[in-house]
Amino acid sequence: MQTKKVLNIGCGKVALKEHSDYFTQEGWEEIRADAWTGNETADIYCDITDLKGVEDKSIDGIWACHVVEHVYFHQLPDVFNSMMRVLKDDGFAVIRVPD
């Protein structure tokens, strides 16, 4: 079985398995990304508007839970374009925001 990569954007200090049962299934590798460099649990430190440090077309799934609402409206195209850049052609994103 080939391992799939899920990019946990704005990961904070809580593991993805605490938020979602889907990505905890066998075959998923979590890559933790955060803008806060004080988060020692992150694998990558980057801004959600560019996702620097993540290779193009290298991610199978994105988990963005309560992070998109923290950017300005005019930054949203950059956020979604950066997600599209790193996702494989058959990749997908799960984006959760408050009501």
Side-chain angles (χ1 to χ4, degrees):
M1 174 188 297
Q2 182 179 0
T3 301
K4 294 183 178 186
K5 294 179 182 178
V6 56
L7 181 64
N8 183 356
I9 299 174
C11 62
K13 292 192 173 191
V14 179
L16 182 55
K17 65 182 177 184
E18 302 298 324
H19 294 284
S20 171
D21 291 337
Y22 184 83
F23 294 112
T24 59
Q25 296 175 18
E26 186 176 336
W28 285 98
E29 172 192 356
E30 179 183 8
I31 300 169
R32 301 172 56 78
D34 206 330
W36 180 47
T37 56
N39 180 359
E40 67 278 356
T41 67
D43 300 307
I44 299 170
Y45 298 103
C46 61
D47 189 289
I48 189 173
T49 61
D50 60 33
L51 296 176
K52 287 183 181 174
V54 183
E55 293 181 29
D56 294 358
K57 306 277 186 205
S58 64
I59 301 297
D60 298 287
I62 289 176
W63 175 261
C65 182
H66 294 282
V67 66
V68 173
E69 68 269 18
H70 295 283
V71 300
Y72 293 106
F73 182 78
H74 72 275
Q75 294 174 302
L76 289 174
D78 292 334
V79 170
F80 295 122
N81 285 332
S82 67
M83 289 182 185
M84 293 301 295
R85 178 185 63 78
V86 302
L87 279 172
K88 292 180 179 177
D89 290 336
D90 61 348
F92 64 94
V94 177
I95 302 167
R96 296 182 68 184
V97 294
D99 300 349

